[in-house]
Structure formats: C-alpha cells, structure tokens
C-alpha cells in the first residue's frame, strides 16, 4: 500500500487505487478499470460544443484549448473531436472536483 498526493509519480506500478476525500472513499477501482472508464480529450475551439454535448464531468483550459474529462463516454466518437488520453490517476492533476463525487457505477463507502 502506498499513500501519496503525487499519484502520477507511482501510477505505473499501481494495480488498484482509491481516492479519499474528507474521510470517505470516493473512488476505488483497479488501474485497468480506471484507464477504461475515464478519458481526457483536448478539444479545439471549433469542436467544443460537440464535446460538451457528451456531458463531461470536468473542463479545464490549457494553452487556449479545452481539456474535457469524461466518465464512461464513447471513446471512438470523442476521439474524432480531439486528442484523447487516459487522465493522470490523480485528482489534483486534472481537478479536485472530478474525484469529489461518487462514480456513477459505484457507491461511496
């Protein structure tokens, strides 16, 4: 077991992860499930409305482009809107808000 706020530094050796917020587990899953479930897409301004239609759970700006975070969204369709990747396994890398809510398919402990 490893506890850290810098998950991205040890992400490559993890088999499972859990996020705890205010003493509650808000996300607990295998790294494989995490990588399959979440997708970040860097979207050009002309594709932003189409990407937002897929209901991202978070949005942030980097170098004039929007990076949207999706939970269980269709990767193939979102890939047509911009470059997609698995987000870092750290809520602080993307936004503390994306791990603040229990996932759709799992209850918080």
């Amino acid at each position: 077991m490893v506890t850290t706020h810098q998950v991205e530094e040890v992400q490559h050796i993890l088999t499972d992860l859990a996020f705890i917020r205010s003493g509650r587990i808000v996300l607990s899953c295998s790294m494989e499930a995490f990588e399959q479930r979440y997708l970040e897409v860097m979207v050009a301004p002309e594709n932003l409305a189409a990407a937002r239609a897929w209901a991202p759970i978070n949005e942030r700006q980097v170098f004039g482009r929007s990076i949207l975070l999706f939970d269980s969204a269709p990767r193939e369709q979102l890939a047509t809107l911009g470059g997609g990747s698995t987000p870092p396994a750290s809520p602080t890398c993307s936004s503390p808000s994306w791990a603040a809510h229990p996932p759709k398919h799992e209850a918080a402990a």
Side-chain angles (χ1 to χ4, degrees):
M1 177 181 282
V2 175
T3 62
T4 181
H5 286 113
Q6 305 300 321
V7 179
E8 64 278 2
E9 292 181 8
V10 296
Q11 183 171 344
H12 64 284
I13 63 170
L14 299 178
T15 58
D16 297 275
L17 75 130
F19 291 139
I20 300 171
R21 185 180 195 99
S22 300
R24 297 186 60 121
I25 296 173
V26 296
L27 176 69
S28 179
C29 64
S30 69
M31 282 302 297
E32 183 179 335
F34 177 84
E35 292 168 353
Q36 291 174 356
R37 182 171 173 176
Y38 295 101
L39 176 69
E40 272 189 338
V41 180
M42 182 177 281
V43 180
E46 62 272 14
N47 294 330
L48 191 54
R52 285 179 176 155
W54 288 101
I57 60 173
N58 188 55
E59 182 176 335
R60 63 190 171 102
Q61 299 294 312
V62 176
F63 302 120
R65 291 192 177 235
S66 297
I67 298 178
L68 285 73
L69 179 67
F70 297 91
D71 179 356
S72 304
R75 290 176 179 265
E76 303 80 29
Q77 292 168 327
L78 289 170
T80 65
L81 301 175
S85 65
T86 299
S90 173
T92 58
C93 286
S94 300
S95 165
S97 65
W98 80 267
H101 307 287
K104 294 180 205 174
H105 308 293
E106 300 170 34

